[in-house]
Structure formats: C-alpha cells, structure tokens
C-alpha cells in the first residue's frame, strides 16, 4: 500500500501536529461521554444537560478529524469530490461544536477557576468560529471565491483546535510555575485561540503568496 501524502515532509508534520492537537480533547471527551451515566460533583453539570454535552463532544471530534484531510493541499487536489463532501461535514460539525459551546457557556454552572473574563473569551471566539464557518460557506456557494473560502474555513478550524493548543500551554505552566489563578487561567486559555489564529493567518498569507507567484509566472509566459 502506498501513502503518497507521507512522501511530503510538510504533510507529515502537519498531519502529526493536527493529530496531536486532536488527541487530548477527543480522549477527554470520550471519558466524559462514558461517565455521563454516573452523577458525581465533578460532572454534575454535564449529566444534567447531556444533550449539549454530547453535541459538543461529538461535533468537536468530527470537526477536528475531518479537518485534517481538508487542510492538506496534496490531499485536496487528489480527492476534490471528497473535499467538497467533507467540507459540508466539517461546516455542520463545526457549527454544532461552536453553538453547543456557546450554550454551555451561557447555561452551565461555572466551575472553580472560571471567571467573567474567561466566559467573555469563550463567547468572543465561539461567535468568531460560527462567523468564519458561515463566511466560508457563503464565499464558496455564492461568490465562488475559493481562496477566501479556504481562508475563512481555516480560521474557523484554528479556533476549533484551540482546546488542543490550550493543553500545550496550560500543562507546562502548571508544572513549571503553579496552578493559575482565574485571571491567569483565562489568559492561558485565550492564548490558545490567539496562537492558532496567528498560525492560520501566516498559513493563509503563505498560500496567497504562492498564488501571486503563479499568476505572475503565467503572465510572464504570455507573449505581448
């Protein structure tokens, strides 16, 4: 069996990073789902609102895994039909994840360590994720502007992957510094979303640069 995607080093790195960012949230979500039938002080808020919990975990997991194939250029070019069909799965699962997350932020009891600042950040990035996915669908379906479509979807995906990056930032802080107070906790979790968006913007600008180079090269090849 051949794996052409793994011949490109950048593809290997990208897939490995995205799998890692998905691993911890999916594992934690699976444990949460398996424990919904048991009421404890730690999971009481999830047990009392199981529908929102299930929607958020399942939606986030599908969104994260499907997105891996969507954002590898080689795979998109080789499987255009899959890209279009999976794009709808990605958009729907992402909207389910974001909207259920907003609902949970609004109605779930606050746990120790959360704060108004963290709730505000969750609202801001939750709304931003919904907006990015809707704009991604709109630019593809109505405007047929696939460059902007890709950019908006990538921003939405970056926000959705915030949970994985938050773990990467949060755990070293706890081990090296100390358990964070509510303000530090909010800033650490917020940094996860900001870091992902910064990387997404760099990736988008990199793609636009390549597109401009192709356009310039094409123009130079046209005789006057």
């Amino acid at each position: 069996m051949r794996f052409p995607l793994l011949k490109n080093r950048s593809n290997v790195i990208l897939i490995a990073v995205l799998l890692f960012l998905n691993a911890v949230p999916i594992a934690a979500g699976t444990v949460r789902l398996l424990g919904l039938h048991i009421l404890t002080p730690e999971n009481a808020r999830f047990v009392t609102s199981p529908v929102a919990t299930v929607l958020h975990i399942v939606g986030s997991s599908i969104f994260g895994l499907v997105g891996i194939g969507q954002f590898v250029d080689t795979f998109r070019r080789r499987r255009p039909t899959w890209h279009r069909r999976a794009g709808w799965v990605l958009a729907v699962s992402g909207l389910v994840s974001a909207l259920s997350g907003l609902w949970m932020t609004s109605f779930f009891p606050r746990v120790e360590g959360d704060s108004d600042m963290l709730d505000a950040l969750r609202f801001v990035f939750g709304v931003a994720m919904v907006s990015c996915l809707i704009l991604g669908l709109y630019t593809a379906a109505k405007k047929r502007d696939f460059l902007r479509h890709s950019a908006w979807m990538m921003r939405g995906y970056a926000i959705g992957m915030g949970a994985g990056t938050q773990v990467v930032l949060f755990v070293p802080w706890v081990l090296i510094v100390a358990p964070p107070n509510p303000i530090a906790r909010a800033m650490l979790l917020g940094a996860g979303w900001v870091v992902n968006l910064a990387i997404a913007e760099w990736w988008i600008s990199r793609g636009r640069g390549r597109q401009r180079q192709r356009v310039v090269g094409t123009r130079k090849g046209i005789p006057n």
Side-chain angles (χ1 to χ4, degrees):
M1 183 180 293
R2 297 181 178 180
F3 297 92
L5 291 179
L6 301 184
K7 293 181 180 179
N8 187 319
R9 185 178 178 181
S10 63
N11 283 338
V12 174
I13 295 173
L14 177 60
I15 292 171
V17 169
L18 293 179
L19 284 173
F20 175 77
L21 292 180
N22 275 283
V24 175
I26 289 176
T30 301
V31 171
R32 183 75 65 192
L33 289 177
L34 294 175
L36 283 179
H37 66 288
I38 303 174
L39 180 61
T40 66
E42 290 75 21
N43 72 346
R45 60 183 185 149
F46 301 106
V47 174
T48 54
S49 298
V51 174
T53 302
V54 171
L55 286 175
H56 186 68
I57 293 172
V58 174
S60 299
S61 299
I62 294 173
F63 182 69
L65 293 176
V66 173
I68 294 176
Q70 292 292 80
F71 293 101
V72 178
D73 290 340
T74 307
F75 189 74
R76 291 207 315 270
R77 289 194 296 268
R78 289 175 178 271
R79 300 288 188 272
T81 301
W82 185 94
H83 172 70
R84 287 191 296 270
R85 292 175 179 174
W88 284 104
V89 176
L90 186 74
V92 172
S93 61
L95 289 172
V96 168
S97 171
L99 292 172
S100 59
L102 289 170
W103 193 95
M104 294 164 72
T105 301
S106 301
F107 299 106
F108 271 26
R110 183 181 291 176
V111 299
E112 184 179 357
D114 283 1
S115 61
D116 291 338
M117 181 179 179
L118 180 54
D119 283 349
L121 289 171
R122 285 170 172 161
F123 270 113
V124 168
F125 286 104
V127 171
M129 182 175 171
V130 171
S131 302
C132 288
L133 294 175
I134 291 176
L135 285 169
L137 291 174
Y138 175 76
T139 51
K142 298 294 184 181
K143 298 292 186 179
R144 311 298 291 175
D145 188 339
F146 296 109
L147 285 178
R148 289 187 178 180
H149 159 74
S150 178
W152 283 118
M153 295 299 288
M154 192 171 294
R155 292 180 183 113
Y157 188 75
I159 296 172
M161 290 296 96
T165 307
Q166 288 164 354
V167 173
V168 173
L169 299 175
F170 195 85
V171 172
W173 180 280
V174 173
L175 295 176
I176 298 171
V177 183
N181 60 38
I183 299 301
R185 171 179 163 82
M187 293 180 67
L188 282 169
L189 296 182
W193 288 306
V194 173
V195 168
N196 280 11
L197 279 174
I199 294 173
E201 290 301 329
W202 170 80
W203 195 279
I204 291 167
S205 64
R206 180 170 170 262
R208 287 172 177 167
R210 288 180 175 179
Q211 180 67 16
R212 285 194 293 269
Q213 289 177 356
R214 286 195 292 268
V215 171
V216 171
T218 302
R219 289 175 178 174
K220 287 183 178 179
I222 300 176
N224 294 327

